[in-house]
């Protein structure tokens, strides 16, 4: 083997996956067609669950504290994201170029080899490996690996070469978008006009991002981004304003096509991010959805390559993420109708606006957009945390108090014995010993989150709780998620 895993695509999803694979001890090569990192920022929002995962891996130490805005939306209707049950409520404004820079630095520091200017042109699966051909700066390059993961966007070459079906609905609505310097127009947040909808948001650097949709215009086949003149003309028709004198820094178009790969795994080929699902990037959900794919897949694929994964662990990536994404896509489809529909959806928008004044409804939708409502089917039990993310809390052991999120930075499993005394710790320590090479035991009492006191929690490397009990036996769950114990 030339490497153990090949990741195709050095966008945020591919880079986070490469970092996770290296954290799990797997040799990883990233192949990227572009010769240099992109400077344009398609996405600019990190939601709460992504921020939590970045916190678990220590990435927030490097990212700092980005600007935060709790004023979210559902299909253009105001939705408060600032009151959610998380350490990171709201919408964190980070340009995609910065997210990529952060994740590239982390992947590189952990030892991933990022090869830019390598466009994948061929892929063949064999019983014990995958062979990938890429066109590099000096000619063709042929690499062999145990697995390959396509993180190469909605027009994924890996998905096409692996012949993975990509069913769904074609687009019938389109939004034109541009970052423009040198214009001075009123700020707009999903403002509706007789013939369309417009958004204008000025960044601190003076650049204004504009987005415009015309109700009566249907998408046209595109082989590249639209000309800025097309965006300016649409803006003038909808708003009556002239932005044609501005300097376009970036122009693109996106639509409401909705597709999802039939399988996220086919043999030794896997898909993540936009390669696995295509959706309108409304509310910043597309990027965050893909990053959560990488968080779910990374440790499982590393376990598979390292040889300790249970038989069905890698398949659980599809089993868990496919239904989560299917649900998110349904929500995005609903939002696209509310946001981009013409006068025919005015009644629907009025009903939704009324429903969103109800706390229960608004909270439910806000948790979904933020990614906080995910609960994987991890096994029997009725504990409220089972399958859900581990909440942040302070853990006290003796005279020391530590943040439980820091305990997940190693990318290993975690058994939390929250009884706080030696007698309560001795049993889980003995039960965990055969898995000590891949799961850590930490004992203490919650300084916050007192309702967890006395419980034992088994937490996967991605931060999801897979077993919770009071003086129960964690060994069946350890086998289910962390494989056979040492010596077996």
């Amino acid at each position: 083997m030339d490497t153990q895993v090949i990741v195709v695509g050095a966008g945020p999803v591919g880079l986070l996956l490469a970092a996770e694979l290296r954290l799990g001890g797997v040799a990883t090569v990233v192949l990227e067609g572009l010769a240099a990192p992109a400077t344009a920022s398609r996405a600019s929002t990190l939601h709460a669950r992504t921020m939590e995962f970045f916190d678990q891996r220590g990435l927030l130490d490097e990212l700092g504290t980005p600007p935060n805005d709790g004023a979210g939306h559902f299909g253009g209707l105001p939705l408060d994201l600032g009151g959610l049950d998380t350490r990171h409520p709201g919408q964190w404004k980070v340009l995609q170029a910065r997210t990529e820079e952060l994740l590239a630095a982390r992947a590189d520091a952990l030892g991933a080899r990022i090869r830019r200017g390598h466009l994948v042109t061929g892929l063949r699966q064999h019983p014990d490996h995958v062979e990938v051909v890429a066109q590099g700066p000096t000619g063709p390059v042929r690499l062999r690996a145990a697995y390959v993961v396509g993180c190469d966007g909605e027009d994924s070459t890996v998905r096409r070469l692996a012949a993975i079906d990509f069913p769904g609905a074609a687009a019938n609505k389109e939004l034109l978008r541009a970052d423009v310097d040198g214009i001075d127009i009123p700020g707009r947040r999903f403002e509706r006009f007789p013939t369309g909808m417009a958004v204008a948001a000025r960044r601190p650097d003076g650049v204004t991002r504009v987005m415009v949709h015309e109700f009566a215009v249907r998408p046209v086949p595109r082989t590249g981004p639209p000309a800025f003149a097309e965006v300016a003309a649409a803006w003038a028709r909808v708003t009556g304003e002239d932005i044609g004198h501005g300097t376009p820094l970036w122009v693109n178009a996106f639509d409401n096509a909705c597709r999802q790969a039939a399988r996220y795994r086919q043999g030794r080929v896997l898909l993540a991010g936009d390669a696995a699902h295509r959706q309108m990037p409304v509310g910043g959900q597309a990027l965050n959805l893909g990053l959560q794919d990488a968080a779910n897949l990374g440790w499982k694929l590393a376990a598979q390559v390292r040889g300790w994964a249970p038989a069905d662990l890698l398949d659980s990536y599809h089993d868990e993420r496919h239904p989560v994404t299917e649900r998110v896509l349904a929500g995005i489809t609903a939002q696209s109708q509310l946001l981009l529909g013409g006068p025919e959806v005015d009644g629907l928008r009025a009903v939704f606006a009324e429903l969103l004044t109800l706390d229960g409804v608004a909270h439910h939708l806000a948790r979904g957009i933020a990614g906080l409502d995910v609960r994987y089917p991890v096994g029997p039990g009725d504990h409220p945390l089972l399958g859900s993310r581990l909440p942040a809390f302070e853990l006290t052991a003796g005279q020391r108090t530590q943040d439980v999120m820091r305990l997940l930075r190693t990318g290993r499993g975690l058994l939390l014995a929250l009884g706080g005394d030696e007698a309560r710790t001795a049993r889980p320590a003995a039960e965990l010993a055969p898995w000590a090479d891949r799961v850590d035991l930490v004992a203490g009492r919650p300084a916050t989150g007192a309702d967890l006191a006395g419980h034992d929690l088994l937490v996967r490397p991605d931060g999801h709780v897979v077993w919770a009990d009071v003086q129960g036996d964690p060994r069946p769950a350890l086998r289910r998620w962390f494989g056979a114990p040492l010596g077996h």
Side-chain angles (χ1 to χ4, degrees):
M1 297 295 173
D2 297 299
T3 190
Q4 291 175 306
V5 175
I6 297 169
V7 175
V8 181
V13 176
L15 292 169
L16 178 60
L17 179 62
E20 288 295 290
L21 290 168
R22 287 299 303 136
L23 199 59
V26 171
T28 305
V29 170
V30 181
L31 300 179
E32 168 56 51
L34 296 177
T39 56
S41 293
R42 292 172 59 89
S44 59
T45 298
L46 298 180
H47 283 302
R49 181 60 190 133
T50 298
M51 291 291 285
E52 288 183 345
F53 188 75
F54 281 12
D55 193 4
Q56 290 170 198
R57 292 297 187 259
L59 286 162
L60 296 188
D61 295 347
E62 303 162 47
L63 184 62
T65 304
N68 186 20
D69 183 3
H73 73 93
F74 187 88
L77 298 169
L79 179 67
D80 179 24
L81 299 176
L84 295 171
D85 54 338
T86 173
R87 185 181 285 176
H88 308 284
Q91 300 177 102
W92 301 84
K93 296 303 178 181
V94 183
L95 294 177
Q96 182 172 322
R98 173 60 183 131
T99 302
E100 289 187 11
E101 179 185 45
L102 173 75
L103 296 175
R106 174 57 60 93
D108 181 69
L110 289 170
R113 291 181 288 160
I114 303 172
R115 295 187 175 183
R116 300 189 184 274
H118 284 71
L119 183 67
V120 170
T121 58
L123 183 154
R124 178 179 289 184
Q125 291 204 59
H126 300 272
D128 61 349
H129 71 280
V130 183
E131 190 174 54
V132 172
V133 178
Q135 184 64 36
T138 59
V141 175
R142 190 180 302 270
L143 290 173
R144 293 192 309 164
Y147 293 89
V148 61
V149 187
C151 302
D152 49 342
E154 59 190 31
D155 297 321
S156 170
T157 299
V158 171
R159 187 186 65 236
R160 175 177 55 81
L161 293 173
I164 298 175
D165 289 340
F166 200 44
N172 60 13
K173 295 178 174 62
E174 183 181 60
L175 241 151
L176 304 179
R177 178 168 56 173
D179 288 344
V180 189
D181 198 8
I183 60 173
D184 186 11
I185 56 176
R188 292 189 168 91
R189 195 165 193 264
F190 311 112
E191 186 173 348
R192 291 172 70 83
F193 294 84
T195 62
M197 184 274 299
V199 176
R202 189 163 185 165
R203 301 197 312 232
D205 61 2
V207 174
T208 301
R209 173 162 291 186
V210 299
M211 293 188 286
V212 60
H213 166 69
E214 295 182 89
F215 296 142
V217 175
R218 292 295 176 261
V220 297
R222 296 186 183 277
T223 57
F228 177 59
E230 183 181 349
V231 180
W235 187 269
R237 287 193 295 268
V238 171
T239 69
E241 297 170 352
D242 178 18
I243 62 171
H245 60 281
T247 302
L249 306 180
W250 174 63
V251 181
N252 88 325
F254 63 91
D255 56 42
N256 67 333
C258 183
R259 298 186 180 277
Q260 187 176 19
R263 294 292 305 173
Y264 285 10
R265 178 192 178 191
Q266 188 152 291
R268 293 180 174 274
V269 178
L270 299 106
L271 303 174
D274 288 347
H277 38 81
R278 177 176 177 174
Q279 60 284 305
M280 190 175 78
V282 59
Q285 287 182 266
L287 170 62
N288 291 271
L289 191 62
L291 291 171
Q292 292 306 313
D293 289 345
N296 186 287
L297 174 59
W299 73 276
K300 295 176 180 178
L301 184 52
Q304 181 76 15
V305 173
R306 294 290 300 277
W308 58 259
D312 60 348
L313 182 65
L314 192 54
D315 284 331
S316 75
Y317 167 60
H318 169 90
D319 296 341
E320 291 181 351
R321 292 303 298 170
H322 195 276
V324 166
T325 301
E326 191 172 30
R327 184 172 177 229
V328 171
L329 294 185
I332 289 176
T333 299
Q335 289 195 67
S336 71
Q337 296 302 315
L338 291 169
L339 182 64
L340 304 180
E344 74 278 3
V345 302
D346 286 348
L348 189 62
R349 288 175 57 84
V351 171
F352 260 87
E354 185 176 345
L355 290 173
L356 287 173
T357 63
L358 307 176
D359 288 343
V361 174
H363 185 71
H364 174 78
L365 293 176
R367 281 177 53 83
I369 288 173
L372 301 178
D373 65 341
V374 174
R375 187 172 186 179
Y376 296 130
V378 296
D382 57 3
H383 192 281
L385 282 182
L386 200 63
S388 299
R389 78 204 204 284
L390 180 71
F393 60 91
E394 298 292 318
L395 185 68
T396 299
Q399 301 299 312
R400 183 185 178 193
T401 297
Q402 58 184 326
D403 181 359
V404 73
M405 291 294 103
R406 297 183 68 89
L407 302 176
L408 292 166
R409 293 190 177 185
T410 62
R412 291 162 54 87
L414 180 65
L415 180 59
L416 290 170
L418 302 180
D421 57 67
E422 292 185 4
R424 280 278 293 112
T425 306
R427 179 180 172 184
E431 291 166 340
L432 178 63
W435 287 272
D437 63 322
R438 62 203 84 150
V439 182
D440 295 324
L441 173 67
V442 177
R445 292 185 179 277
T448 57
D451 53 328
L452 296 176
H455 289 72
D456 293 336
L457 304 176
L458 180 62
V459 186
R460 302 189 320 196
D462 61 355
H464 281 262
V465 177
V466 292
W467 176 82
D469 208 339
V470 179
Q471 294 187 316
D473 185 354
R475 285 174 293 187
L478 283 163
R479 282 185 176 273
R480 166 68 184 88
W481 296 104
F482 296 97
L486 287 170
H488 290 72

